[in-house]
Amino acid sequence: MRIIFMGTPFYAKAILDKIIDTPNMEVVAIYTQPDKPVGRKKIMTPPVVKTLAQRHNIEVYQPQRLRDKEVVEKLLSIECDFIVVAAYGQILPCEVLEHAPCINLHASILPAYRGASPIQQTLLNADKKTGVTAMLMDEGLDTGDILKIETISVEDNEMAESLFDRLTEVATVLTIDVLKNFDSLKVIKQDETKATYCKKITKEDGKVEFVDAKEIYNKYRAFTPWPGVYLDSGLKLKNISLEDVTSTNKEGSIISIEKDSIVVGCKQGSIRVFRVQPASKKEMDILSYINGQRLFREDTLS
């Protein structure tokens, strides 16, 4: 079985690693995003998928635009049985979609959460269940026919990194299952009336106000480690928990100061804060912060 693989981040790397290790599956080419400058020194860094490919001596292609004529022509010259796509980051043109069955692994139960941030959206909405959908790609955004779905439960306090890791493991197993049993799978069209979308996360999405404690906590779950959750002052809430969802309080008021944390009131509910990071400073425990700011009970955290 000859496979062209397209993907870029760790999610894709785990799937690619599984394919490489599976007998009778040969990855004949890998498409990933171009190297990017990383860190303050802007050091050009390859995607993790590229690093894995080079370790196994697999040909790597990193086009700026997959739609460019010469890029498409080169891809079409590579014989394959399947094209597997996992968080690649580019739209596949019609010619590529017609070259071989294109299988995409999307981290949601489609048609829910089509788009760039399904894991974060699951946590923002406090869903109790999510999963990975293997689908046949078409020209739309995550609109292709469903091949198979695997679901998992989501814990009330689950964080994005944990959920990401668990869904990645589901995706690796599902990929091999679908490739091996492709001919016997019954495809199902997506129900367009149930389709929802999620956008690319930006730094601005992490800004919070002390209005709804549950919303703040779900943003914390979804946006840790990036972009994190922070106040208008730039103070980042680095470690928090949900205290209650029903009380009514003055927004941002310090309700209690305890041994290792403080409880902060929201218009609805309250949160417990353990650690923070002031703008342009190092992370610290909340008691050190409020002592430095001379904040006391009934003062406003800002």
Side-chain angles (χ1 to χ4, degrees):
M1 185 184 298
R2 293 170 58 86
I3 298 165
I4 293 176
F5 184 86
M6 298 182 172
T8 301
F10 284 95
Y11 175 72
K13 174 182 176 292
I15 296 171
L16 174 60
D17 208 5
K18 187 72 171 180
I19 295 173
I20 291 172
D21 287 344
T22 301
N24 302 319
M25 292 187 184
E26 179 188 4
V27 180
V28 294
I30 289 173
Y31 283 75
T32 188
Q33 294 284 59
D35 297 2
K36 290 185 178 181
V38 174
R40 292 182 179 179
K41 295 184 179 181
K42 302 297 182 183
I43 298 173
M44 293 301 292
T45 305
V48 290
V49 163
K50 177 181 178 180
T51 303
L52 177 61
Q54 291 175 329
R55 199 154 67 233
H56 290 274
N57 297 313
I58 304 171
E59 193 74 34
V60 178
Y61 300 91
Q62 297 176 273
Q64 290 285 352
R65 281 173 43 87
L66 189 65
R67 290 179 174 272
D68 288 348
K69 182 179 178 181
E70 61 273 19
V71 175
V72 172
E73 288 177 349
K74 176 58 184 177
L75 191 152
L76 297 183
S77 71
I78 304 171
E79 293 184 10
C80 68
D81 300 297
F82 295 99
I83 299 174
V84 175
V85 184
Y88 174 41
Q90 294 203 44
I91 301 296
L92 275 60
C94 288
E95 300 96 321
V96 174
L97 294 172
E98 294 170 355
H99 182 51
C102 295
I103 300 171
N104 178 242
L105 285 304
H106 187 72
S108 79
I109 302 172
L110 289 172
Y113 307 154
R114 295 171 176 173
S117 56
I119 294 175
Q120 291 92 335
Q121 199 64 49
T122 293
L123 297 174
L124 289 173
N125 290 349
D127 293 343
K128 300 297 184 183
K129 183 174 73 171
T130 186
V132 178
T133 301
M135 68 172 178
L136 278 174
M137 297 181 70
D138 59 18
E139 293 183 79
L141 177 63
D142 301 323
T143 57
D145 292 348
I146 295 170
L147 293 167
K148 193 171 183 179
I149 298 175
E150 291 290 345
T151 63
I152 61 172
S153 61
V154 182
E155 301 299 325
D156 291 341
N157 61 351
E158 185 146 29
M159 302 293 288
E161 285 187 310
S162 167
L163 186 56
F164 175 89
D165 289 343
R166 292 205 295 133
L167 287 172
T168 298
E169 179 60 29
V170 171
T172 61
V173 176
L174 180 60
T175 301
I176 303 305
D177 182 8
V178 167
L179 288 172
K180 286 183 175 180
N181 300 292
F182 181 80
D183 291 337
S184 63
L185 295 175
K186 181 181 179 181
V187 298
I188 302 171
K189 290 194 175 297
Q190 293 190 39
D191 185 346
E192 292 297 323
T193 65
K194 297 181 179 179
T196 57
Y197 292 84
C198 50
K199 66 182 184 67
K200 184 177 180 180
I201 303 300
T202 66
K203 184 178 180 180
E204 290 69 31
D205 290 319
K207 184 178 176 182
V208 296
E209 297 178 350
F210 292 111
V211 177
D212 186 320
K214 187 174 182 180
E215 180 180 318
I216 293 173
Y217 184 60
N218 287 337
K219 281 193 172 186
Y220 166 72
R221 295 168 64 206
F223 297 151
T224 299
W226 192 89
V229 290
Y230 59 91
L231 307 181
D232 191 49
S233 65
L235 181 70
K236 294 180 180 179
L237 307 179
K238 298 294 289 186
N239 187 351
I240 68 173
S241 63
L242 183 62
E243 188 71 6
D244 86 277
V245 297
T246 58
S247 63
T248 301
N249 310 282
K250 177 184 174 184
E251 295 178 25
S253 62
I254 299 175
I255 296 174
S256 67
I257 300 174
E258 301 178 17
K259 184 178 180 180
D260 62 350
S261 61
I262 66 172
V263 177
V264 181
C266 301
K267 189 174 182 180
Q268 181 175 338
S270 61
I271 63 170
R272 184 175 292 272
V273 181
F274 296 90
R275 297 186 66 82
V276 295
Q277 183 177 1
S280 303
K281 293 185 179 180
K282 291 183 179 180
E283 181 180 328
M284 63 180 68
D285 66 85
I286 187 61
L287 297 187
S288 296
Y289 177 76
I290 64 171
N291 289 337
Q293 296 294 312
R294 293 182 171 82
L295 295 175
F296 303 95
R297 189 174 177 276
E298 296 185 357
D299 286 338
T300 300
L301 182 68
S302 62

